[in-house]
Amino acid sequence: VAAMRSTKPQHKPLTYKPIPGLRSTVYKFSQQEANDLLGGVGTTGLEGGAYVVLGTVGGIVVPLGGPTCAKRGTDYSESYILDVADLAIDVVRIVGRNYLGKEFTIAHRNALATQLRAALDGMFEVGAIMGKENVGYRFAITQTDVERVLGKLTIDLTLRPALELKWIELNISMSA
């Protein structure tokens, strides 16, 4: 599964993706056992651990969950949520870096907002987030007078990864 992670795009979850070369599993978990291990709905109290549970769907072995080391039930307990957040941070920093150290006028602010929208809409187009502005993401650009002089910029980004109902809040700070 770790090798498979390195071959897939960063924003794509591994859940329910076929594992190449694996034809079957030795043990078949019941739905309740898989839920107990993954911390899903209807668990019997194990509270989910950091287990990768493999199952068979249509005769193909697939991961039923891709956990991280984060506490179960938190925003970052699934690997693809973390991957989407990392991708969003990279996208915002690439766009925002062009505006550091420059006079931050209304025209520059609007240009930055337009470029951020285009970049984040691109994340929707590749299936990383749920939708475009106000559906898949929201952002606010913040820069005080002191931060402007110091060449700092802060973008508060709220995004909804694909396949998720919850919003993830990120505070992205950059400096020249």
Side-chain angles (χ1 to χ4, degrees):
V1 176
M4 195 171 129
R5 170 79 272 166
S6 66
T7 63
K8 299 287 183 192
Q10 183 179 22
H11 59 277
K12 296 288 186 183
L14 294 182
T15 311
Y16 295 102
K17 300 290 187 285
I19 299 174
L22 191 57
R23 304 235 183 270
S24 66
T25 57
V26 176
Y27 179 78
K28 181 172 174 41
F29 288 104
S30 69
Q31 188 62 49
Q32 185 62 50
E33 289 171 324
N35 280 346
D36 286 346
L37 289 170
L38 294 172
V41 178
T43 61
T44 58
L46 296 177
E47 297 180 13
Y51 301 101
V52 175
V53 176
L54 303 175
T56 328
V57 176
I60 299 170
V61 179
V62 297
L64 299 178
T68 65
C69 293
K71 181 180 177 188
R72 303 294 97 202
T74 64
D75 290 342
Y76 298 105
S77 62
E78 290 294 322
S79 61
Y80 81 92
I81 295 174
L82 206 57
D83 294 341
V84 169
D86 285 343
L87 179 65
I89 290 168
D90 290 344
V91 164
V92 168
R93 286 197 170 141
I94 288 168
V95 172
R97 196 168 288 129
N98 297 325
Y99 293 89
L100 292 176
K102 296 181 181 176
E103 183 180 359
F104 205 63
T105 62
I106 292 173
H108 280 133
R109 178 185 282 278
N110 290 340
L112 173 58
T114 300
Q115 285 188 336
L116 282 173
R117 276 187 203 95
L120 292 169
D121 285 351
M123 287 183 62
F124 164 67
E125 298 298 330
V126 298
I129 58 177
M130 185 71 75
K132 294 188 177 185
E133 191 169 18
N134 293 322
V135 176
Y137 68 88
R138 298 186 288 254
F139 65 87
I141 302 166
T142 309
Q143 189 179 47
T144 64
D145 292 336
V146 172
E147 289 174 331
R148 188 175 308 127
V149 170
L150 296 174
K152 293 184 178 183
L153 177 66
T154 302
I155 297 172
D156 297 315
L157 176 64
T158 306
L159 59 91
R160 182 182 294 164
L163 311 174
E164 285 294 319
L165 296 177
K166 58 187 163 192
W167 289 88
I168 307 296
E169 294 183 12
L170 304 168
N171 181 278
I172 306 162
S173 298
M174 296 169 272
S175 59

